[in-house]
Coordinates of all heavy atoms in Angstrom, one line a residue:
M1089 N 0.8 -1.2 0.0 CA 0.0 0.0 0.0 C 0.9 1.3 0.0 O 0.4 2.3 -0.5 CB -0.9 0.0 1.2 CG -2.0 -1.1 1.1 SD -3.4 -0.4 1.8 CE -4.4 -1.8 1.8
T1090 N 2.0 1.2 0.6 CA 2.8 2.4 0.6 C 3.3 2.7 -0.8 O 3.5 3.9 -1.1 CB 4.0 2.2 1.5 OG1 4.7 1.1 1.2 CG2 3.5 2.1 3.0
T1091 N 3.6 1.7 -1.7 CA 4.0 2.0 -3.0 C 2.9 2.7 -3.8 O 3.3 3.6 -4.6 CB 4.4 0.7 -3.8 OG1 3.8 -0.4 -3.1 CG2 5.8 0.5 -3.9
I1092 N 1.7 2.4 -3.6 CA 0.6 3.1 -4.3 C 0.5 4.5 -3.9 O 0.4 5.4 -4.8 CB -0.7 2.4 -4.0 CG1 -0.7 1.0 -4.6 CG2 -1.9 3.2 -4.6 CD1 -1.9 0.1 -4.2
S1093 N 0.7 4.8 -2.6 CA 0.6 6.2 -2.2 C 1.8 7.0 -2.7 O 1.7 8.2 -3.1 CB 0.5 6.3 -0.7 OG 1.6 5.7 -0.1
I1094 N 3.0 6.4 -2.9 CA 4.2 7.1 -3.4 C 4.0 7.3 -4.9 O 4.3 8.4 -5.4 CB 5.4 6.2 -3.1 CG1 5.8 6.2 -1.7 CG2 6.6 6.8 -3.9 CD1 6.9 5.2 -1.3
L1095 N 3.4 6.4 -5.6 CA 3.2 6.6 -7.0 C 2.2 7.7 -7.3 O 2.3 8.4 -8.2 CB 2.8 5.2 -7.7 CG 3.8 4.2 -7.8 CD1 3.2 2.9 -8.4 CD2 5.0 4.6 -8.7
S1096 N 1.1 7.7 -6.5 CA 0.1 8.7 -6.7 C 0.7 10.1 -6.4 O 0.3 11.1 -7.0 CB -1.2 8.4 -5.9 OG -0.9 8.5 -4.5
A1097 N 1.5 10.2 -5.4 CA 2.1 11.5 -5.1 C 3.1 12.0 -6.2 O 3.1 13.1 -6.6 CB 2.9 11.4 -3.8
A1098 N 3.8 11.0 -6.8 CA 4.7 11.4 -7.9 C 3.9 11.8 -9.1 O 4.3 12.7 -9.9 CB 5.6 10.2 -8.2
G1099 N 2.8 11.1 -9.4 CA 1.9 11.5 -10.5 C 1.3 12.9 -10.3 O 1.2 13.7 -11.3
G1100 N 1.0 13.3 -9.1 CA 0.5 14.6 -8.8 C 1.5 15.7 -9.1 O 1.2 16.8 -9.6
A1101 N 2.7 15.5 -8.8 CA 3.8 16.4 -9.0 C 4.1 16.6 -10.5 O 4.3 17.7 -11.0 CB 5.1 16.0 -8.3
G1102 N 4.0 15.5 -11.3 CA 4.2 15.6 -12.7 C 3.0 16.4 -13.4 O 3.2 17.1 -14.3
G1103 N 1.9 16.3 -12.8 CA 0.7 17.0 -13.4 C 0.9 18.5 -13.2 O 0.5 19.3 -14.1
A1104 N 1.4 19.0 -12.1 CA 1.7 20.4 -11.9 C 2.7 20.9 -12.9 O 2.5 22.0 -13.4 CB 2.1 20.6 -10.5
G1105 N 3.7 20.2 -13.2 CA 4.7 20.6 -14.1 C 4.2 20.6 -15.5 O 4.5 21.5 -16.3
G1106 N 3.3 19.7 -15.9 CA 2.6 19.7 -17.2 C 1.7 20.9 -17.3 O 1.6 21.5 -18.4
F1107 N 1.0 21.3 -16.3 CA 0.1 22.4 -16.3 C 1.0 23.7 -16.5 O 0.6 24.6 -17.3 CB -0.6 22.5 -15.0 CG -1.5 23.8 -14.9 CD1 -2.6 23.9 -15.7 CD2 -1.1 24.8 -14.1 CE1 -3.4 25.0 -15.6 CE2 -1.8 26.0 -14.0 CZ -3.0 26.1 -14.8
L1108 N 2.1 23.8 -15.9 CA 2.9 25.0 -16.0 C 3.5 25.1 -17.5 O 3.5 26.2 -18.0 CB 4.1 24.9 -15.0 CG 5.0 26.1 -15.0 CD1 4.2 27.4 -14.6 CD2 6.2 25.9 -14.1
I1109 N 3.9 24.0 -18.0 CA 4.4 24.0 -19.4 C 3.3 24.3 -20.4 O 3.5 25.0 -21.4 CB 5.0 22.6 -19.7 CG1 6.3 22.5 -18.9 CG2 5.3 22.5 -21.2 CD1 7.0 21.1 -19.0
S1110 N 2.0 23.9 -20.1 CA 0.9 24.2 -21.0 C 0.4 25.6 -20.9 O -0.1 26.2 -21.9 CB -0.2 23.2 -20.8 OG -0.8 23.4 -19.5
V1111 N 0.6 26.3 -19.8 CA 0.2 27.6 -19.6 C 1.3 28.6 -20.1 O 0.9 29.8 -20.5 CB -0.2 27.9 -18.1 CG1 -0.4 29.3 -17.8 CG2 -1.4 27.1 -17.7
M1112 N 2.5 28.2 -20.1 CA 3.6 29.1 -20.4 C 3.5 29.8 -21.8 O 3.7 31.0 -21.9 CB 4.9 28.4 -20.3 CG 6.1 29.3 -20.5 SD 6.2 30.6 -19.2 CE 6.7 29.7 -17.8
P1113 N 3.1 29.1 -22.9 CA 2.9 29.8 -24.2 C 1.8 30.9 -24.1 O 2.0 31.9 -24.8 CB 2.5 28.6 -25.1 CG 3.0 27.4 -24.5 CD 2.9 27.6 -23.0
L1114 N 0.7 30.6 -23.4 CA -0.3 31.7 -23.2 C 0.2 32.9 -22.5 O -0.1 34.0 -23.0 CB -1.5 31.1 -22.5 CG -2.3 30.0 -23.2 CD1 -3.4 29.5 -22.3 CD2 -2.9 30.5 -24.5
V1115 N 1.0 32.7 -21.5 CA 1.6 33.9 -20.8 C 2.6 34.6 -21.7 O 2.6 35.8 -21.8 CB 2.4 33.4 -19.5 CG1 3.2 34.5 -18.9 CG2 1.3 32.8 -18.5
L1116 N 3.4 33.8 -22.5 CA 4.3 34.4 -23.5 C 3.6 35.2 -24.5 O 4.0 36.3 -24.9 CB 5.2 33.3 -24.1 CG 6.3 33.8 -25.0 CD1 7.3 34.7 -24.2 CD2 7.0 32.6 -25.7
I1117 N 2.5 34.7 -25.1 CA 1.7 35.4 -26.1 C 1.1 36.7 -25.5 O 1.2 37.7 -26.2 CB 0.6 34.5 -26.6 CG1 1.2 33.4 -27.5 CG2 -0.4 35.3 -27.4 CD1 0.3 32.3 -27.9
F1118 N 0.6 36.6 -24.3 CA 0.1 37.8 -23.7 C 1.2 38.9 -23.5 O 0.9 40.1 -23.7 CB -0.6 37.5 -22.3 CG -1.1 38.7 -21.6 CD1 -2.3 39.3 -22.1 CD2 -0.5 39.3 -20.6 CE1 -2.8 40.4 -21.5 CE2 -0.9 40.4 -20.0 CZ -2.1 41.0 -20.4
A1119 N 2.3 38.5 -23.0 CA 3.4 39.4 -22.8 C 3.8 40.1 -24.2 O 4.1 41.3 -24.2 CB 4.6 38.7 -22.2
V1120 N 3.9 39.3 -25.2 CA 4.2 39.9 -26.6 C 3.2 40.9 -27.0 O 3.5 42.0 -27.4 CB 4.4 38.8 -27.6 CG1 4.4 39.3 -29.0 CG2 5.6 38.0 -27.3
F1121 N 1.9 40.5 -26.8 CA 0.8 41.5 -27.2 C 0.8 42.7 -26.3 O 0.6 43.8 -26.8 CB -0.6 40.8 -27.0 CG -1.1 40.1 -28.2 CD1 -1.0 38.7 -28.4 CD2 -1.6 40.8 -29.2 CE1 -1.4 38.1 -29.5 CE2 -2.1 40.2 -30.4 CZ -2.0 38.8 -30.5
Y1122 N 1.2 42.6 -25.1 CA 1.2 43.7 -24.2 C 2.3 44.7 -24.6 O 2.0 45.9 -24.8 CB 1.4 43.3 -22.7 CG 1.6 44.5 -21.8 CD1 0.4 45.2 -21.4 CD2 2.8 44.9 -21.3 CE1 0.5 46.3 -20.6 CE2 2.9 46.0 -20.5 CZ 1.8 46.7 -20.1 OH 1.9 47.8 -19.3
F1123 N 3.5 44.2 -24.9 CA 4.6 45.1 -25.2 C 4.6 45.6 -26.6 O 5.1 46.7 -26.9 CB 6.0 44.4 -24.9 CG 6.3 44.4 -23.4 CD1 6.2 43.2 -22.7 CD2 6.6 45.5 -22.7 CE1 6.5 43.1 -21.4 CE2 6.8 45.5 -21.4 CZ 6.8 44.3 -20.7
L1124 N 4.0 44.9 -27.6 CA 4.0 45.3 -29.0 C 2.7 46.0 -29.4 O 2.7 46.8 -30.3 CB 4.2 44.1 -29.9 CG 5.5 43.5 -29.8 CD1 5.6 42.3 -30.7 CD2 6.6 44.4 -30.1
L1125 N 1.6 45.8 -28.7 CA 0.3 46.4 -29.1 C -0.3 47.3 -28.0 O -0.6 48.5 -28.2 CB -0.7 45.3 -29.5 CG -0.3 44.5 -30.7 CD1 -1.3 43.4 -30.9 CD2 -0.3 45.3 -31.9
I1126 N -0.5 46.8 -26.8 CA -1.3 47.5 -25.8 C -0.5 48.7 -25.2 O -1.0 49.8 -25.2 CB -1.7 46.5 -24.7 CG1 -2.6 45.4 -25.2 CG2 -2.4 47.2 -23.5 CD1 -2.9 44.3 -24.3
R1127 N 0.7 48.5 -24.8 CA 1.5 49.5 -24.2 C 1.7 50.7 -25.1 O 1.5 51.9 -24.7 CB 2.8 48.9 -23.7 CG 3.6 49.9 -22.9 CD 4.7 49.1 -22.2 NE 5.6 50.1 -21.4 CZ 6.9 50.1 -21.5 NH1 7.5 49.2 -22.3 NH2 7.6 50.9 -20.8
P1128 N 2.1 50.5 -26.4 CA 2.3 51.7 -27.3 C 1.0 52.4 -27.5 O 1.0 53.6 -27.6 CB 2.8 51.0 -28.6 CG 3.5 49.8 -28.2 CD 2.7 49.3 -27.0
Q1129 N -0.1 51.7 -27.6 CA -1.4 52.4 -27.8 C -1.8 53.2 -26.6 O -2.3 54.3 -26.8 CB -2.5 51.3 -28.1 CG -3.8 51.9 -28.4 CD -3.8 52.7 -29.7 OE1 -3.0 52.4 -30.6 NE2 -4.7 53.7 -29.8
Q1130 N -1.5 52.7 -25.4 CA -1.8 53.5 -24.2 C -1.0 54.7 -24.2 O -1.4 55.8 -23.8 CB -1.6 52.6 -23.0 CG -2.7 51.6 -22.7 CD -2.4 50.8 -21.5 OE1 -1.3 50.7 -21.0 NE2 -3.4 50.1 -21.1
K1131 N 0.3 54.6 -24.6 CA 1.2 55.8 -24.6 C 0.8 56.8 -25.6 O 0.7 58.0 -25.3 CB 2.6 55.3 -24.9 CG 3.7 56.3 -24.8 CD 5.0 55.7 -25.0 CE 6.1 56.8 -24.9 NZ 7.5 56.2 -25.2
K1132 N 0.3 56.4 -26.8 CA -0.1 57.3 -27.8 C -1.4 58.0 -27.3 O -1.6 59.2 -27.5 CB -0.4 56.6 -29.1 CG -0.7 57.4 -30.2 CD -1.1 56.7 -31.5 CE 0.2 56.2 -32.2 NZ -0.1 55.6 -33.5
M1133 N -2.3 57.2 -26.7 CA -3.6 57.8 -26.2 C -3.3 58.8 -25.1 O -4.0 59.9 -25.1 CB -4.5 56.7 -25.7 CG -5.9 57.0 -25.5 SD -6.8 55.5 -25.4 CE -8.4 56.1 -25.6
K1134 N -2.4 58.6 -24.2 CA -2.1 59.5 -23.1 C -1.5 60.8 -23.7 O -1.8 61.9 -23.3 CB -1.1 58.8 -22.2 CG -0.8 59.7 -20.9 CD 0.1 58.9 -20.0 CE 0.4 59.7 -18.8 NZ 1.3 59.0 -17.9
E1135 N -0.6 60.7 -24.7 CA -0.1 61.8 -25.4 C -1.1 62.7 -26.1 O -1.1 63.9 -26.0 CB 1.0 61.4 -26.4 CG 1.6 62.5 -27.2 CD 2.6 61.9 -28.2 OE1 3.4 61.1 -27.8 OE2 2.5 62.3 -29.4
H1136 N -2.1 62.0 -26.7 CA -3.2 62.7 -27.4 C -4.1 63.4 -26.4 O -4.5 64.6 -26.7 CB -4.0 61.7 -28.2 CG -5.1 62.3 -29.0 ND1 -6.4 62.3 -28.6 CD2 -5.1 63.0 -30.2 CE1 -7.1 62.9 -29.5 NE2 -6.4 63.4 -30.4
Q1137 N -4.4 62.8 -25.3 CA -5.2 63.5 -24.3 C -4.5 64.7 -23.7 O -5.2 65.7 -23.4 CB -5.6 62.5 -23.2 CG -6.6 61.5 -23.6 CD -6.9 60.4 -22.6 OE1 -6.2 60.3 -21.6 NE2 -8.0 59.6 -22.8
G1138 N -3.2 64.6 -23.5 CA -2.5 65.7 -23.0 C -2.5 66.9 -24.0 O -2.6 68.1 -23.7
K1139 N -2.4 66.5 -25.3 CA -2.4 67.5 -26.4 C -3.8 68.2 -26.4 O -3.9 69.5 -26.6 CB -2.1 66.9 -27.7 CG -1.7 67.7 -28.8 CD -1.6 66.9 -30.1 CE -0.2 66.9 -30.6 NZ -0.1 66.3 -32.0
I1140 N -4.8 67.5 -26.3 CA -6.2 68.0 -26.4 C -6.5 68.9 -25.1 O -7.1 69.9 -25.2 CB -7.2 66.9 -26.5 CG1 -7.0 66.1 -27.8 CG2 -8.7 67.4 -26.4 CD1 -7.1 66.9 -29.0
G1141 N -6.0 68.4 -24.0 CA -6.2 69.1 -22.7 C -5.4 70.5 -22.7 O -5.8 71.4 -22.0
A1142 N -4.4 70.6 -23.5 CA -3.5 71.8 -23.5 C -3.9 72.8 -24.6 O -3.2 73.7 -24.9 CB -2.1 71.4 -23.6
V1143 N -5.0 72.6 -25.3 CA -5.4 73.5 -26.4 C -5.7 74.8 -25.8 O -6.3 75.0 -24.8 CB -6.6 72.9 -27.2 CG1 -7.9 72.9 -26.4 CG2 -6.8 73.7 -28.5
K1144 N -5.2 75.9 -26.5 CA -5.3 77.3 -26.1 C -5.9 78.1 -27.2 O -6.0 77.6 -28.4 CB -4.0 77.9 -25.7 CG -3.3 77.2 -24.5 CD -2.0 77.8 -24.3 CE -1.0 76.7 -24.3 NZ 0.3 76.9 -24.8
K1145 N -6.3 79.3 -26.9 CA -6.8 80.2 -27.9 C -5.7 80.5 -28.9 O -4.6 80.5 -28.6 CB -7.2 81.5 -27.2 CG -7.9 82.5 -28.1 CD -8.3 83.8 -27.3 CE -8.9 84.8 -28.2 NZ -9.3 86.0 -27.5
N1146 N -6.2 80.6 -30.2 CA -5.3 80.8 -31.4 C -4.5 79.6 -31.8 O -3.7 79.7 -32.7 CB -4.4 82.0 -31.2 CG -5.1 83.3 -31.1 OD1 -6.2 83.5 -31.7 ND2 -4.6 84.2 -30.3
D1147 N -4.7 78.4 -31.2 CA -4.1 77.2 -31.7 C -4.9 76.7 -32.9 O -6.1 76.9 -33.0 CB -4.1 76.1 -30.7 CG -3.1 76.3 -29.6 OD1 -2.2 77.1 -29.8 OD2 -3.2 75.5 -28.6
Q1148 N -4.2 76.2 -33.9 CA -4.9 75.6 -35.0 C -5.3 74.2 -34.7 O -4.5 73.4 -34.2 CB -4.0 75.6 -36.3 CG -4.7 75.2 -37.5 CD -3.8 75.3 -38.8 OE1 -2.7 75.7 -38.7 NE2 -4.4 75.0 -39.9
V1149 N -6.6 73.8 -34.9 CA -7.1 72.5 -34.5 C -7.7 71.8 -35.7 O -8.2 72.5 -36.6 CB -8.2 72.6 -33.3 CG1 -7.5 73.2 -32.1 CG2 -9.3 73.5 -33.8
V1150 N -7.8 70.5 -35.6 CA -8.5 69.7 -36.6 C -9.5 68.9 -35.8 O -9.2 68.2 -34.8 CB -7.5 68.7 -37.3 CG1 -8.2 67.9 -38.3 CG2 -6.4 69.5 -37.9
T1151 N -10.8 69.0 -36.3 CA -11.8 68.2 -35.6 C -11.9 66.8 -36.1 O -11.3 66.5 -37.2 CB -13.2 68.9 -35.8 OG1 -13.5 68.9 -37.2 CG2 -13.2 70.3 -35.4
G1152 N -12.7 66.0 -35.5 CA -12.8 64.6 -35.9 C -13.5 64.5 -37.3 O -13.2 63.5 -38.0
G1153 N -14.3 65.5 -37.7 CA -14.9 65.5 -39.0 C -14.0 66.0 -40.1 O -14.3 66.1 -41.3
G1154 N -12.8 66.5 -39.7 CA -11.8 67.0 -40.7 C -11.8 68.5 -40.9 O -11.1 69.0 -41.8
L1155 N -12.6 69.2 -40.1 CA -12.6 70.7 -40.3 C -11.3 71.2 -39.6 O -10.9 70.8 -38.5 CB -13.8 71.3 -39.6 CG -15.1 70.9 -40.2 CD1 -16.3 71.5 -39.3 CD2 -15.3 71.5 -41.6
V1156 N -10.7 72.1 -40.3 CA -9.4 72.8 -39.8 C -9.8 74.2 -39.5 O -10.4 74.9 -40.4 CB -8.3 72.7 -40.8 CG1 -7.1 73.4 -40.3 CG2 -8.0 71.2 -41.2
G1157 N -9.4 74.7 -38.3 CA -9.7 76.1 -38.0 C -8.8 76.5 -36.8 O -8.0 75.8 -36.3
K1158 N -9.1 77.7 -36.4 CA -8.4 78.4 -35.3 C -9.3 78.3 -34.0 O -10.5 78.7 -34.1 CB -8.1 79.8 -35.6 CG -7.2 80.5 -34.6 CD -6.7 81.8 -35.0 CE -7.9 82.8 -35.1 NZ -7.5 84.2 -35.4
A1159 N -8.8 77.9 -32.9 CA -9.5 77.9 -31.6 C -9.7 79.3 -31.2 O -8.7 80.0 -31.0 CB -8.8 77.1 -30.6
V1160 N -11.0 79.8 -31.0 CA -11.3 81.1 -30.7 C -11.6 81.2 -29.2 O -11.2 82.1 -28.5 CB -12.4 81.7 -31.5 CG1 -12.8 83.1 -31.1 CG2 -12.1 81.7 -33.0
K1161 N -12.3 80.2 -28.7 CA -12.8 80.2 -27.3 C -12.6 78.8 -26.8 O -13.1 77.8 -27.4 CB -14.2 80.7 -27.2 CG -14.8 80.8 -25.8 CD -16.2 81.3 -25.8 CE -16.8 81.2 -24.4 NZ -18.2 81.6 -24.4
V1162 N -12.0 78.6 -25.7 CA -11.7 77.3 -25.1 C -12.4 77.2 -23.8 O -12.2 78.0 -22.9 CB -10.2 77.0 -25.0 CG1 -10.0 75.6 -24.5 CG2 -9.5 77.1 -26.4
D1163 N -13.2 76.1 -23.6 CA -13.9 75.8 -22.4 C -13.4 74.5 -21.8 O -12.5 73.9 -22.4 CB -15.4 75.7 -22.7 CG -16.3 76.4 -21.7 OD1 -15.8 76.9 -20.7 OD2 -17.5 76.5 -22.0
D1164 N -14.0 74.0 -20.7 CA -13.6 72.7 -20.2 C -14.0 71.6 -21.1 O -13.3 70.6 -21.3 CB -14.2 72.5 -18.8 CG -13.5 73.3 -17.8 OD1 -12.3 73.7 -18.0 OD2 -14.1 73.6 -16.7
E1165 N -15.2 71.7 -21.7 CA -15.8 70.7 -22.6 C -15.9 71.1 -24.0 O -15.9 70.2 -24.9 CB -17.2 70.3 -22.1 CG -17.2 69.6 -20.7 CD -18.6 69.2 -20.3 OE1 -19.4 68.8 -21.2 OE2 -18.9 69.3 -19.1
Y1166 N -15.9 72.3 -24.4 CA -16.2 72.8 -25.7 C -15.0 73.7 -26.2 O -14.4 74.4 -25.4 CB -17.5 73.5 -25.8 CG -18.7 72.7 -25.4 CD1 -19.3 72.9 -24.2 CD2 -19.2 71.7 -26.3 CE1 -20.4 72.1 -23.8 CE2 -20.3 71.0 -25.9 CZ -20.9 71.1 -24.7 OH -22.0 70.4 -24.4
V1167 N -14.9 73.7 -27.5 CA -14.0 74.6 -28.2 C -14.7 75.3 -29.3 O -15.4 74.6 -30.1 CB -12.8 73.9 -28.8 CG1 -11.8 74.8 -29.5 CG2 -12.0 73.2 -27.7
E1168 N -14.6 76.6 -29.4 CA -15.2 77.3 -30.5 C -14.2 77.5 -31.5 O -13.1 78.1 -31.3 CB -15.8 78.7 -30.0 CG -16.7 79.3 -31.0 CD -17.4 80.5 -30.4 OE1 -17.9 80.5 -29.3 OE2 -17.4 81.6 -31.1
V1169 N -14.4 77.0 -32.7 CA -13.5 77.0 -33.8 C -13.9 77.9 -34.9 O -15.0 77.8 -35.4 CB -13.3 75.5 -34.4 CG1 -12.2 75.5 -35.5 CG2 -12.9 74.6 -33.2
E1170 N -13.0 78.8 -35.4 CA -13.3 79.6 -36.5 C -12.8 79.0 -37.7 O -11.5 78.8 -37.9 CB -12.7 81.0 -36.3 CG -13.1 82.0 -37.4 CD -12.6 83.4 -37.1 OE1 -11.5 83.5 -36.4 OE2 -13.2 84.3 -37.6
I1171 N -13.7 78.5 -38.6 CA -13.2 77.8 -39.8 C -13.1 78.7 -41.0 O -12.5 78.3 -42.0 CB -14.1 76.6 -40.1 CG1 -15.6 77.1 -40.3 CG2 -14.0 75.6 -39.1 CD1 -16.6 76.0 -40.6
A1172 N -13.7 79.9 -41.0 CA -13.5 81.0 -42.0 C -13.8 82.3 -41.3 O -14.2 82.3 -40.2 CB -14.5 80.7 -43.1
N1173 N -13.6 83.4 -42.0 CA -13.8 84.7 -41.4 C -15.3 84.8 -41.0 O -16.2 84.8 -41.9 CB -13.4 85.8 -42.4 CG -11.9 85.9 -42.5 OD1 -11.2 85.5 -41.7 ND2 -11.5 86.4 -43.7
G1174 N -15.6 85.0 -39.8 CA -16.9 85.2 -39.3 C -17.7 83.9 -39.2 O -18.9 83.9 -38.8
V1175 N -17.2 82.7 -39.5 CA -17.9 81.4 -39.4 C -17.2 80.7 -38.2 O -16.1 80.2 -38.3 CB -17.7 80.6 -40.7 CG1 -18.5 79.3 -40.6 CG2 -18.3 81.4 -41.9
R1176 N -18.0 80.5 -37.2 CA -17.6 79.8 -36.0 C -18.5 78.6 -35.7 O -19.7 78.7 -35.9 CB -17.6 80.7 -34.8 CG -16.6 81.8 -34.9 CD -16.6 82.7 -33.7 NE -15.6 83.8 -33.9 CZ -15.2 84.6 -32.9 NH1 -15.9 84.5 -31.7 NH2 -14.3 85.5 -33.1
V1177 N -17.8 77.5 -35.3 CA -18.6 76.3 -34.9 C -18.1 75.9 -33.5 O -17.0 76.2 -33.1 CB -18.4 75.1 -35.9 CG1 -19.0 75.4 -37.3 CG2 -16.9 74.8 -36.1
K1178 N -19.0 75.3 -32.8 CA -18.7 74.8 -31.5 C -18.5 73.3 -31.5 O -19.4 72.6 -32.0 CB -19.9 75.2 -30.5 CG -19.5 75.1 -29.1 CD -20.7 75.6 -28.2 CE -20.3 75.8 -26.8 NZ -21.4 76.4 -26.0
A1179 N -17.3 72.9 -31.1 CA -17.0 71.4 -31.1 C -16.7 70.9 -29.7 O -16.2 71.7 -28.9 CB -15.8 71.2 -32.0
V1180 N -17.1 69.7 -29.5 CA -16.7 69.0 -28.2 C -15.2 68.8 -28.2 O -14.6 68.4 -29.2 CB -17.5 67.7 -28.1 CG1 -17.1 67.0 -26.8 CG2 -19.0 67.9 -28.2
K1181 N -14.6 69.2 -27.1 CA -13.2 69.2 -27.0 C -12.6 67.8 -27.2 O -11.5 67.6 -27.8 CB -12.8 69.7 -25.6 CG -11.4 70.2 -25.5 CD -11.2 70.8 -24.1 CE -9.8 71.4 -24.0 NZ -9.6 72.0 -22.7
A1182 N -13.3 66.8 -26.8 CA -12.9 65.4 -26.9 C -12.8 64.9 -28.4 O -12.2 63.9 -28.7 CB -13.7 64.4 -26.1
T1183 N -13.6 65.6 -29.3 CA -13.6 65.1 -30.7 C -12.5 65.8 -31.5 O -12.4 65.5 -32.7 CB -14.9 65.5 -31.3 OG1 -15.1 66.9 -31.3 CG2 -16.1 64.8 -30.6
L1184 N -11.6 66.6 -30.9 CA -10.5 67.1 -31.7 C -9.5 66.0 -32.0 O -9.2 65.2 -31.1 CB -9.8 68.2 -30.9 CG -10.7 69.5 -30.6 CD1 -9.8 70.5 -29.8 CD2 -11.1 70.1 -31.9
S1185 N -9.0 66.0 -33.2 CA -8.1 64.9 -33.5 C -6.7 65.4 -33.5 O -5.8 64.6 -33.4 CB -8.5 64.3 -34.9 OG -8.4 65.3 -35.9
D1186 N -6.4 66.7 -33.7 CA -5.1 67.2 -33.7 C -5.0 68.7 -33.3 O -6.0 69.4 -33.5 CB -4.4 67.0 -35.1 CG -2.9 67.1 -35.0 OD1 -2.3 67.1 -33.9 OD2 -2.3 67.3 -36.1
V1187 N -4.0 69.1 -32.6 CA -3.8 70.4 -32.2 C -2.4 70.9 -32.6 O -1.4 70.2 -32.3 CB -3.9 70.6 -30.7 CG1 -3.7 72.0 -30.3 CG2 -5.3 70.1 -30.2
M1188 N -2.3 72.0 -33.4 CA -1.0 72.5 -33.8 C -0.8 73.8 -33.1 O -1.7 74.6 -33.0 CB -1.0 72.7 -35.3 CG -1.0 71.4 -36.1 SD -1.5 71.5 -37.7 CE -3.2 71.2 -37.6
P1189 N 0.3 74.0 -32.5 CA 0.6 75.2 -31.7 C 0.5 76.5 -32.5 O 0.6 76.5 -33.7 CB 1.9 75.0 -31.1 CG 2.6 74.1 -32.0 CD 1.5 73.2 -32.5
R1190 N 0.5 77.6 -31.8 CA 0.5 78.9 -32.5 C 1.7 79.1 -33.4 O 2.7 78.6 -33.1 CB 0.5 80.1 -31.5 CG -0.8 80.1 -30.6 CD -0.6 81.2 -29.6 NE -1.3 80.6 -28.4 CZ -1.2 81.1 -27.2 NH1 -0.4 82.1 -27.0 NH2 -1.9 80.5 -26.2
G1191 N 1.5 79.7 -34.5 CA 2.6 79.9 -35.5 C 2.7 78.8 -36.5 O 3.4 78.8 -37.4
G1192 N 1.9 77.7 -36.2 CA 2.0 76.6 -37.2 C 3.2 75.7 -37.1 O 4.1 75.9 -36.2
A1193 N 3.4 74.8 -38.0 CA 4.5 74.0 -38.0 C 5.7 74.6 -38.8 O 5.5 75.6 -39.5 CB 4.2 72.7 -38.7
K1194 N 6.9 74.1 -38.6 CA 8.1 74.6 -39.2 C 8.0 74.2 -40.7 O 7.6 73.1 -41.1 CB 9.3 74.0 -38.6 CG 10.6 74.5 -39.0 CD 11.7 73.8 -38.2 CE 13.1 74.2 -38.8 NZ 14.1 73.5 -38.1
P1195 N 8.4 75.1 -41.6 CA 8.3 74.8 -43.1 C 9.2 73.6 -43.4 O 10.3 73.4 -42.8 CB 8.8 76.0 -43.7 CG 8.6 77.1 -42.8 CD 8.7 76.5 -41.4
A1196 N 8.8 72.8 -44.4 CA 9.5 71.6 -44.8 C 10.9 71.9 -45.4 O 11.8 71.0 -45.3 CB 8.7 70.8 -45.7
N1197 N 11.1 73.0 -46.0 CA 12.3 73.3 -46.7 C 13.4 73.9 -45.8 O 14.4 74.3 -46.3 CB 12.1 74.1 -47.9 CG 11.4 75.5 -47.6 OD1 11.1 75.7 -46.5 ND2 11.2 76.3 -48.6
D1198 N 13.1 74.1 -44.5 CA 14.1 74.7 -43.7 C 14.9 73.6 -43.0 O 14.7 72.6 -42.7 CB 13.5 75.6 -42.6 CG 13.1 77.0 -43.2 OD1 13.6 77.3 -44.3 OD2 12.3 77.6 -42.5

C-alpha cells in the first residue's frame, strides 16, 4: 500500500509541471501582445489626451470631421473653432483629432 501512495504523489507532481508547461505559451503570447500592441497604444492615447487638454486660444485645431480652423474660445468641454472669417462652430473638445501650436509647423524646406 505504501508503493501506491508514493506513485500517486509522484503523479500529482508531474501534473503540476505539465500544467505549467501548457500555460507558459499563453503567458508568453500575452506578454508579446502587451509590449507590442497594448502599451504603445496606451502611450499614444495618453499623449493625445495631453495635447487636447492643453489646447489654447489661437491654436490651429483639426476636428474629428476633418474641419481645420483656429480655436477662438476654449472651455472645459467645448472649443469654439473659427473655420472661416466670421464662421464659427462649437465642437466638443474630446472630438478634436489634432492640435497644432500657434505659429503653425516649421516649413519643410528649412
